[in-house]
């Protein structure tokens, strides 16, 4: 009931509910309000469309100060049912719902919130760990008046950018404008997070997880109580490899080419080698065999020596960038493994010959393996 006794707030899954589905046995309820006439009969019944979602809204309670508390699975929260608050305006409309945050809300179901505004004491139900059974009743004392406190509820979901699936066990942290950590949590299977922040300040939220690229967002909070939804997405940087795999197609690496009769690292080759460098830094347990090849436009013996110099030059470049020498082997194959028919005596274009002046990178060291062909 509203404090003046003129309105009744209730939950129902009747037709007209946003979450209503006549074919669904578990139709989700909405919140409704009915006016109460002077003779006690009910007047107009209205769906509270400003706060209802396609999820479940239920357990309404109106405090003496005119704040509607309710539980919802549709608004962004920590998980399951979360408790939200919305101020009832003089015309009967409702303000934007605010997640009341921790410690009332958890990653489990939290609902049936009531409070005595005179004593600031209240109760709610929850199935959080540490109770006596499934749903337990908890008592609390409210230390801050919701109407007098300006706070921002930051919510979001961390997902895998490629699959769109929520990320479990991702670290989410909030930093202030001076790069000081404000709060941090580890996501559960639903990938959701929620933080309570101050109004009118600059923050950035960042998420990290092993083998994934990080994602972050910089924002400034509004100057009045509100909630912000900041989705975060991470990319899995790990690439499944096994012994004897050629890295080039896995990392979309172009062939490492050399100028005719030269073994220096060209700028375009350095760009591709940086991908090899990043791979070896990401996979510190791997080793790589560098294979260098020439074209046929020189004596076979000379090409053996030239390809060996090219392989060693490539190895040296990676070592200079910080890769342990023990993780790199290099071998020149001369013109013995051509990729086309441009062998001795065959008339080919310069472009066709260049295809044979290449390097390959073979992964070793991931497990038991024999010599790679």
């Amino acid at each position: 009931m509203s404090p003046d006794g003129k309105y009744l707030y209730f939950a129902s899954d009747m037709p007209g509910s946003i979450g209503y589905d006549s074919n669904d046995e578990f139709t989700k309820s909405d919140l409704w309000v009915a006016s109460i006439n002077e003779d006690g009969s009910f007047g107009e019944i209205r769906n509270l469309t400003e706060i209802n979602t396609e999820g479940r809204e239920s357990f309404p309670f109106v405090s003496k100060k005119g704040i509607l508390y309710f539980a919802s699975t549709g608004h962004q929260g920590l998980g399951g049912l979360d408790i939200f608050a919305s101020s009832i305006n003089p015309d009967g409309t409702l303000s934007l719902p605010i997640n009341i945050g921790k410690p009332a809300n958890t990653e489990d179901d939290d609902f049936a919130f009531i409070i005595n505004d005179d004593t600031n004491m209240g109760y709610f139900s929850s199935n959080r760990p540490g109770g006596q059974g499934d749903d337990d009743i908890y008592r609390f004392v409210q230390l801050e008046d919701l109407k007098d406190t300006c706070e921002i509820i930051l919510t979001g979901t961390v997902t895998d950018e490629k699959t769109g699936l929520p990320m479990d066990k991702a670290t989410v942290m909030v930093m202030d404008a001076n790069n000081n950590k404000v709060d941090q949590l580890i996501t559960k299977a639903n990938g959701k997070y929620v933080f309570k922040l101050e109004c009118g300040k600059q923050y950035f939220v960042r998420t990290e997880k092993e083998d994934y690229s990080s994602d972050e967002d910089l924002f400034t909070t509004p100057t009045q109580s509100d909630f912000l939804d900041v989705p975060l997405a991470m990319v899995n940087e790990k690439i499944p490899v096994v012994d004897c795999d050629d890295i080039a197609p896995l990392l979309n690496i172009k062939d490492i080419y050399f100028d005719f009769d030269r073994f220096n690292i060209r700028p375009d080759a350095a760009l591709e080698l940086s991908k090899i460098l990043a791979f070896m830094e990401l996979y510190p347990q791997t080793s790589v065999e560098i294979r260098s090849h020439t074209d046929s436009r020189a004596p076979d013996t000379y090409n053996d020596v030239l390809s060996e110099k090219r392989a060693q030059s490539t190895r040296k470049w990676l070592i200079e960038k910080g890769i342990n020498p023990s993780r790199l082997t290099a071998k020149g194959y001369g013109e013995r493994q051509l990729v086309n028919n441009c062998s001795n005596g065959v008339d080919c274009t310069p472009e066709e010959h260049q295809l044979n002046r290449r390097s390959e990178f073979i992964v070793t060291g991931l497990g038991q393996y024999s010599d790679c062909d």
Side-chain angles (χ1 to χ4, degrees):
M1 296 281 290
S2 60
D4 59 11
K6 294 182 178 181
Y7 296 94
L8 173 70
Y9 294 85
F10 64 97
S12 174
D13 61 357
M14 71 175 77
S17 299
I18 296 177
Y20 177 79
D21 185 349
S22 60
N23 298 316
D24 187 352
E25 180 183 356
F26 303 101
T27 293
K28 300 176 180 66
S29 61
D30 276 4
L31 294 185
W32 299 73
V33 61
S35 61
I36 303 175
N37 301 320
E38 291 185 1
D39 62 1
S41 62
F42 292 105
E44 178 189 7
I45 297 177
R46 183 174 70 89
N47 185 292
L48 299 179
T49 55
E50 55 265 59
I51 64 172
N52 286 324
T53 69
E54 292 184 354
R56 175 188 177 192
E57 278 74 45
S58 54
F59 300 101
F61 170 78
V62 181
S63 71
K64 288 184 178 180
K65 293 182 179 180
I67 298 177
L68 172 65
Y69 294 91
F70 64 96
S72 173
T73 61
H75 293 284
Q76 186 66 273
L78 281 176
L81 283 166
D82 269 25
I83 301 166
F84 292 82
S86 180
S87 296
I88 302 175
N89 300 317
D91 62 358
T93 60
L94 295 164
S95 67
L96 199 65
I98 295 176
N99 186 308
I100 68 172
K102 298 177 181 180
N105 286 325
T106 66
E107 291 148 356
D108 300 284
D109 289 328
D110 308 289
F111 54 97
F113 180 99
I114 66 172
I115 185 170
N116 184 325
D117 286 333
D118 295 330
T119 64
N120 287 332
M121 184 176 291
Y123 301 86
F124 65 92
S125 297
S126 176
N127 64 355
R128 67 187 64 191
Q132 299 300 311
D134 188 6
D135 297 332
D136 280 17
I137 299 173
Y138 292 81
R139 184 176 65 180
F140 67 90
V141 175
Q142 188 175 46
L143 301 179
E144 298 175 335
D145 190 322
L146 187 63
K147 279 192 170 182
D148 297 334
T149 301
C150 185
E151 62 184 22
I152 304 300
I153 302 299
L154 173 68
T155 62
T157 303
V158 183
T159 59
D160 183 305
E161 185 175 273
K162 184 176 182 180
T163 66
L165 297 175
M167 295 289 298
D168 187 18
K169 296 182 175 61
T171 299
V172 184
M173 64 187 76
V174 176
M175 316 291 286
D176 64 18
N178 296 318
N179 209 36
N180 298 313
K181 185 186 296 183
V182 176
D183 204 350
Q184 176 177 310
L185 59 75
I186 307 296
T187 62
K188 299 295 184 181
N190 61 11
K192 293 182 178 181
Y193 68 87
V194 61
F195 297 103
K196 184 183 294 186
L197 304 177
E198 297 181 29
C199 294
K201 290 192 174 183
Q202 188 177 71
Y203 297 93
F204 72 87
V205 59
R206 178 184 178 89
T207 183
E208 298 176 343
K209 185 175 181 179
E210 186 178 1
D211 301 337
Y212 282 81
S213 63
S214 61
D215 189 20
E216 63 185 33
D217 198 351
L218 177 69
F219 59 93
T220 300
T221 56
T223 55
Q224 59 184 5
S225 293
D226 204 343
F227 74 90
L228 298 176
D229 183 60
V230 179
L232 298 170
M234 296 191 292
V235 178
N236 191 343
E237 294 184 329
K238 278 287 189 179
I239 300 174
V241 292
V242 297
D243 286 328
C244 300
D245 270 350
D246 185 357
I247 300 176
L250 295 175
L251 301 181
N252 193 28
I253 294 174
K254 300 175 184 177
D255 288 328
I256 307 298
Y257 293 119
F258 293 87
D259 291 325
F260 176 65
D261 202 31
R262 296 288 187 273
F263 55 86
N264 58 295
I265 301 298
R266 299 185 344 187
D268 60 333
L271 181 63
E272 299 305 315
L273 284 178
S274 66
K275 300 178 184 178
I276 304 295
L277 175 65
F279 173 87
M280 297 194 72
E281 290 175 341
L282 188 63
Y283 290 80
Q285 78 279 19
T286 61
S287 298
V288 170
E289 178 187 340
I290 303 166
R291 298 178 178 181
S292 182
H293 306 268
T294 68
D295 60 37
S296 62
R297 292 181 296 175
D300 293 359
T301 302
Y302 177 83
N303 281 336
D304 286 342
V305 173
L306 180 61
S307 64
E308 182 67 21
K309 289 182 178 179
R310 288 176 175 174
Q312 297 300 331
S313 176
T314 301
R315 180 175 183 267
K316 180 182 177 182
W317 188 93
L318 289 167
I319 292 173
E320 289 175 347
K321 299 300 180 181
I323 300 301
N324 191 315
S326 65
R327 298 175 58 198
L328 294 164
T329 57
K331 183 177 180 180
Y333 286 82
E335 59 183 87
R336 295 192 298 274
Q337 295 184 0
L338 303 175
V339 297
N340 52 31
N341 63 350
C342 296
S343 57
N344 292 334
V346 177
D347 186 19
C348 291
T349 65
E351 292 76 18
E352 289 173 323
H353 281 300
Q354 178 164 288
L355 292 175
N356 291 313
R357 299 194 303 274
R358 69 197 191 279
S359 288
E360 298 170 332
F361 302 88
I362 308 301
V363 177
T364 62
L366 288 173
Q368 297 297 323
Y369 63 92
S370 55
D371 290 339
C372 300
D373 295 331

